[in-house]
Amino acid sequence: MGLTMLTVALPIALAWMMYCVGLTLSLADFKRVGRYPLFIFSGLAAQLVGLPLIALALIHFFGLPEVVAVGLWLLALAPGGASSNVITHLSGGNAALSISMTAVSSLIIPFSLPLLLPVVLSDSQLVLPLKTAILQLIMVTLVPVSIGMICHHVGRGKWFASFAKWAGRSSIWVLMFTVAITLAANSQVFQQLFSSASIVAIALCLLGMTLGIIVARLLKGGEVLTKTLAIEVGIQNAGTAIFVAVVQLGQPELALTPLLYGVLMNIPVAVMIFRHQRGALRSLFAR
């Protein structure tokens, strides 16, 4: 039952959240992103180079056992997927920039991950299915976002405005639903909540967010850019890391750290979303 929920309900939930993101976007958003290629390049550099360096530092500083170290390394090599786009949207970041970074990084993962994995796991032989990775990204990110943007473009009248408002609110509940089914399918991770794997998992998330904030400040970006890079650099694709550990490497025990990360990353995420939503409500009542 848990496996079915993850493989069927989770992609549907993510697709709906991305559709809700699309309802708020227009082509003008992407045109603005194209004017700032430095932001995308800098964000990807922090994501694809900076975060692996942080992971290596954590591995050596804590002297992690191989099972935990490899799991952490897999996480560092798997940049955020559709969930980071949704979190960026719910936190008041630049969703268009987030989606653009995800699209680019998803094309790099199949090459960078097998190339860098031997740094920690020297005897691994890994080939990621490039076509499958791209198709999954398209189906849960670009397709629903595109449909949402079309609806945003052609939608008219009070009924559509009401629907778009309801959809935006529902995305928060759907995000909570994805967290719940992930926990239900992996309830055994609670036994490791106070282990070294938990410590390095949340440390990778928080240090990644910090790196994103530093990069945004160096670029003299505003609050929106700071939120976006913090999320894109700090939130990794635990699903990809778990897939590599279980399916590609055939070693389910290596999925421990990604599983813990999938649970613990929701703590800073919830704080960011709550702060933004509270600020939005205050602005609404202040009018």
Side-chain angles (χ1 to χ4, degrees):
M1 179 63 179
L3 181 61
T4 301
M5 290 292 286
L6 285 176
T7 57
V8 178
L10 186 55
I12 293 175
L14 289 175
W16 171 254
M17 288 189 288
M18 294 310 300
Y19 170 74
C20 296
V21 172
L23 285 175
T24 68
L25 296 177
S26 65
L27 290 177
D29 294 308
F30 290 90
K31 291 179 180 178
R32 283 194 292 270
V33 171
R35 297 173 188 171
Y36 306 102
L38 180 60
F39 290 163
I40 295 179
F41 175 80
S42 300
L44 288 171
Q47 193 177 55
L48 300 173
V49 179
L51 202 63
L53 291 177
I54 290 175
L56 282 178
L58 289 172
I59 290 171
H60 291 291
F61 179 80
F62 285 97
L64 299 175
E66 185 179 52
V67 170
V68 177
V70 174
L72 187 71
W73 187 237
L74 285 173
L75 273 173
L77 300 181
S83 58
S84 68
N85 306 147
V86 176
I87 293 167
T88 298
H89 169 63
L90 295 178
S91 301
N94 188 326
L97 175 61
S98 175
I99 292 170
S100 298
M101 289 182 61
T102 298
V104 175
S105 64
S106 68
L107 298 177
I108 298 175
I109 291 174
F111 305 102
S112 62
L113 203 155
L115 181 65
L116 295 175
L117 186 57
V119 172
V120 173
L121 190 63
S122 59
D123 59 350
S124 66
Q125 296 294 327
L126 177 65
V127 177
L128 280 179
L130 178 59
K131 292 182 178 180
T132 300
I134 293 177
L135 286 175
Q136 289 175 342
L137 175 70
I138 290 174
M139 293 306 297
V140 301
T141 304
L142 298 183
V143 169
V145 164
S146 299
I147 295 174
M149 290 179 64
I150 293 172
C151 293
H152 173 82
H153 181 70
V154 302
R156 297 289 186 275
K158 293 182 178 180
W159 72 269
F160 180 77
S162 298
F163 168 75
K165 186 176 182 179
W166 170 83
R169 291 175 177 174
S170 73
S171 62
I172 300 176
W173 293 104
V174 173
L175 178 61
M176 293 180 180
F177 170 74
T178 63
V179 173
I181 62 174
T182 302
L183 290 175
N186 302 286
S187 58
Q188 71 276 10
V189 301
F190 288 109
Q191 300 175 4
Q192 300 289 335
L193 279 179
F194 300 100
S195 65
S196 60
S198 291
I199 295 174
V200 295
I202 192 64
L204 183 70
C205 179
L206 295 177
L207 291 174
M209 286 184 166
T210 301
L211 176 60
I213 293 172
I214 292 173
V215 171
R217 296 287 171 80
L218 290 175
L219 295 174
K220 298 181 179 180
E223 181 182 359
V224 173
L225 177 65
T226 299
K227 289 180 180 180
T228 304
L229 293 189
I231 293 168
E232 281 299 312
V233 179
I235 301 301
Q236 294 298 94
N237 194 336
T240 297
I242 293 170
F243 170 78
V244 172
V246 177
V247 179
Q248 297 294 333
L249 293 176
Q251 301 181 54
E253 65 276 11
L254 298 179
L256 171 63
T257 308
L259 280 172
L260 289 167
Y261 178 91
V263 175
L264 296 172
M265 76 172 190
N266 290 289
I267 298 174
V269 163
V271 172
M272 292 187 70
I273 293 175
F274 174 75
R275 290 184 62 184
H276 172 68
Q277 298 295 332
R278 185 178 63 176
L281 287 174
R282 285 180 176 176
S283 300
L284 180 63
F285 286 116
R287 293 177 183 176

